[in-house]
Amino acid sequence: MEDSLQETTDTSLQVLMDMGFSREESEEALVKNGYSVELAAAYLLNLSEEVAEEWEDVDEGYKMVFVVNSDLKMSIGKTAAQVAHGCLGLYREIELGSHQESRDDLVAWLDEGQKKIVLSGKKNTDALVKLCTKAKDFGIPSHLVKDAGHTEVAAGSTTVLALFGSEETVNKVTGSLRLLK
């Protein structure tokens, strides 16, 4: 029986490693997710731990996602300020701008607890712009934050991409990104 369990664990570990994850992070994900390869994969793909635990749940709800331009190497405080700019910009875009059709979704999001996820971008501005274009293709409200240049980064630097929508739709754009650490 013990050999069978070890064989199952080894197989699950290999599946995750074949997806490109390291042995260490694959083992950690399996332990954190009850040795379920599906939940571990969801966890590693940075669907939040809450989403991974509710993997089977059909009604996923809404979320705001903030993709940080990690190439800029902003301090924690600067990153927090830029994410706040992204949130406010996106909120204004939905309430007053070109995405007013998402207002009912925004109300639902407010009622659900306002789920927010901060992810690390793929190391440059071009990647954020491509994600923004992909979001627009899916009809996802988005807001690119450009810094004023008063502190850590050059004026006009693209610091954060903010997105809002159903978890399923937003995950089509950002599901492969990792949580910001």
Side-chain angles (χ1 to χ4, degrees), residues 66-69 74 82-83 86 128 143-145 158-162:
F66 306 95
V67 184
V68 175
N69 185 343
M74 296 178 287
Q82 296 304 298
V83 167
L128 288 186
H143 179 76
L144 274 172
V145 178
T158 302
T159 58
V160 171
L161 169 62

Side-chain angles (χ1 to χ4, degrees), residues 28-164:
E28 178 182 344
L30 284 168
V31 169
K32 285 185 174 183
N33 291 283
Y35 294 94
S36 164
V37 71
E38 294 84 3
L39 294 178
Y43 175 81
L44 288 168
L45 290 170
N46 290 310
L47 304 172
S48 72
E49 286 185 58
E50 287 178 14
V51 173
E53 289 170 10
E54 298 171 3
W55 185 255
E56 305 279 329
D57 191 359
V58 176
D59 183 19
E60 291 182 312
Y62 300 92
K63 68 180 176 181
M64 270 192 195
V65 173
F66 306 95
V67 184
V68 175
N69 185 343
S70 55
D71 193 40
L72 297 175
K73 298 183 180 10
M74 296 178 287
S75 69
I76 293 170
K78 179 68 171 180
T79 300
Q82 296 304 298
V83 167
H85 288 313
C87 184
L88 289 171
L90 184 56
Y91 194 90
R92 281 192 305 263
E93 183 71 26
I94 294 167
E95 282 295 316
L96 307 170
S98 62
H99 286 285
Q100 292 184 15
E101 73 280 357
S102 295
R103 290 168 101 183
D104 289 342
D105 297 341
L106 191 63
V107 170
W109 173 75
L110 291 167
D111 290 342
E112 293 169 357
Q114 305 139 35
K115 185 173 192 175
K116 296 167 282 307
I117 309 283
V118 182
L119 304 171
S120 180
K122 298 235 180 189
K123 300 286 185 192
N124 63 45
T125 299
D126 289 341
L128 288 186
V129 171
K130 285 178 185 174
L131 286 174
C132 188
T133 300
K134 188 174 181 181
K136 288 179 182 181
D137 290 345
F138 282 108
I140 298 171
S142 60
H143 179 76
L144 274 172
V145 178
K146 304 240 184 221
D147 193 66
H150 299 302
T151 56
E152 297 178 18
V153 298
S157 296
T158 302
T159 58
V160 171
L161 169 62
L163 306 169
F164 172 76

